[in-house]
Amino acid sequence: MPAAQMKKPEVIPPHIAIIMDGNGRWAARRMLPRSAGHKAGFDNFVSIVRECGKLGVSYLTVYAFSTENWQRDKQEVEYLIRLMNSGMTSFLPEMKKNNIRLKLCGDLSRFDEQSRKMLDNCVETLKDNTGMVLSICLSYGGRQEILQAVNRLLDEGKKNINEEDFRKYLYTADIPDPDLIIRTSGEIRISNFLLWQSAYAEYYFTDVLWPDFNKEELYRAINDYGRRSRRFGK
Ligand code: FPP
């Protein structure tokens, strides 16, 4: 069913998180270089941020670059960083206008100075916005996030901490846990994404490759979520 005819979802998950997978396969199917897939993936990221904003999603978290992605071919890593720098710089004025706040999750120290400055500038420019919180996971790994939290707790000499104390040390300290986690491209695994935070999330897996995950697919995922009954183990 085309998006125009598709019913706007009635139940909107407050926090949607997305593993944006399949850019490489999207390019390969078109006999294009992987970089073309990433470019299409970034353009789609911009479209999905817009759609989530229009739907009234409060928090959108995307997995853009994992700790494992550093091991990819040097040229691909460099391309992804250039794409992030140019893409985020172009998207910034629209995010400002649309009242989006930006959060970054991950070990940003691994990025070069130019990229860190660009990212800092985006966060700073958007800090007084009050609408949807967009969190971008960059150089992010769930295990690494948990370990950095444990190490900070040890440095501070903390003992016998509870869940509420622990979550304050995660990158996502000031945002709620995800309600719906979407993964594109047919892979059915979580790949080190939001390991702690996903304890009670609903998962939605689709074969659609990330650059093709359009408004219609987003509605389909949210409508599927709306039909589920969440009991949080009770
Ligand atoms: C997975 O596709 C995607 C990535 C490794 C990250 C790229 C993400 C984007 C370009 C979108 C948004 C970026 C930012 C900075 C917000 P893949 O290369 O693993 O695809 P494959 O599994 O088909 O090879």
Side-chain angles (χ1 to χ4, degrees), residues 20-25 34 38 41-42 45 64 69 72 76 80 83-84 136:
M20 308 179 289
D21 196 8
N23 296 344
R25 277 161 286 169
R34 291 180 64 78
H38 291 314
F42 189 90
F45 152 78
N69 285 157
R72 288 196 178 189
E76 183 173 352
L80 280 168
L83 179 64
M84 171 182 83
I136 306 186

Side-chain angles (χ1 to χ4, degrees), residues 49-200:
V49 172
R50 281 187 195 130
E51 288 307 327
C52 287
K54 282 188 208 157
L55 284 173
V57 171
S58 303
Y59 302 90
L60 174 66
T61 300
V62 294
Y63 203 3
F65 195 88
S66 70
T67 43
E68 292 72 27
N69 285 157
W70 288 110
Q71 290 159 34
R72 288 196 178 189
D73 183 76
K74 188 168 170 264
Q75 271 193 335
E76 183 173 352
V77 170
E78 283 174 2
Y79 179 81
L80 280 168
I81 293 175
R82 281 202 308 276
L83 179 64
M84 171 182 83
N85 289 349
S86 62
M88 291 303 288
T89 304
S90 315
F91 191 30
L92 184 59
E94 182 181 327
M95 287 193 286
K96 172 125 176 110
K97 182 169 148 274
N98 288 344
N99 202 19
I100 291 172
R101 219 163 357 134
L102 183 67
K103 231 185 109 57
L104 302 169
C105 302
D107 177 11
L108 302 182
S109 70
R110 294 186 69 177
F111 287 100
D112 59 87
E113 200 188 336
Q114 187 201 347
S115 304
R116 288 202 308 271
K117 274 194 179 149
M118 180 284 299
L119 292 167
D120 282 350
N121 178 50
C122 289
V123 172
E124 178 64 24
T125 307
L126 303 174
K127 74 175 188 326
D128 295 326
N129 279 356
T130 55
M132 185 171 81
V133 177
L134 169 65
S135 303
I136 306 186
C137 297
L138 286 167
S139 189
Y140 172 89
R143 289 183 174 175
Q144 181 270 339
E145 176 183 36
I146 290 170
L147 279 179
Q148 65 78 37
V150 171
N151 283 321
R152 275 165 56 209
L153 284 158
L154 290 173
D155 284 349
E156 291 177 19
K158 293 261 180 13
K159 285 197 179 116
N160 293 324
I161 55 145
N162 59 26
E163 287 186 14
E164 277 318 297
D165 291 335
F166 188 71
R167 57 174 296 124
K168 290 183 197 138
Y169 289 78
L170 297 173
Y171 296 129
T172 52
D174 45 356
I175 61 173
D177 286 345
D179 300 286
L180 170 64
I181 300 182
I182 297 170
R183 181 171 190 152
T184 58
S185 92
E187 309 294 352
I188 305 182
R189 54 176 175 261
I190 57 172
S191 299
N192 210 4
F193 186 47
L194 303 178
L195 294 182
W196 174 275
Q197 300 87 337
S198 61
Y200 288 102

